[in-house]
Amino acid sequence: MGIECRADDTHTRAMLAKIDDPITHACVIAERALLAALKADCHSPVAALATIEGAIMTLRAELLSEDGSVHVTAQEAGAPTDSVLPIAVARDLLLGAPDEIRRLFAG
């Protein structure tokens, strides 16, 4: 579950910090960073999954054509705090994608 609050609401942020799971939080940040790197939105045909085992985050993602008949996948692993990881996955996806998929993420 994701919960959002105003950035300036320190009371609510303090309460939410008590229930924040750092592993889930890191995974969500990586997945969102991937979407941002792709210039994707909630209507974009993209799937992303970040997982952490030990000290390694693996970010897997897939881009699909509008009808889902064509797809491209990519995966990278690194430190959970590595802000370059989502950018690398986005780059790999776009480099490997055919034009019909790439044009959907032209921003």
Side-chain angles (χ1 to χ4, degrees), residues 45 64-70 100-101 103-104:
L64 296 100
S65 60
E66 290 179 298
D67 67 1
S69 64
V70 179
E100 70 181 290
I101 292 178
R103 71 177 169 75
L104 299 173

Side-chain angles (χ1 to χ4, degrees), residues 63-87:
L63 302 181
L64 296 100
S65 60
E66 290 179 298
D67 67 1
S69 64
V70 179
H71 66 98
V72 60
T73 61
Q75 169 178 316
E76 295 282 344
T81 56
D82 184 357
S83 61
V84 177
L85 188 65
I87 296 167

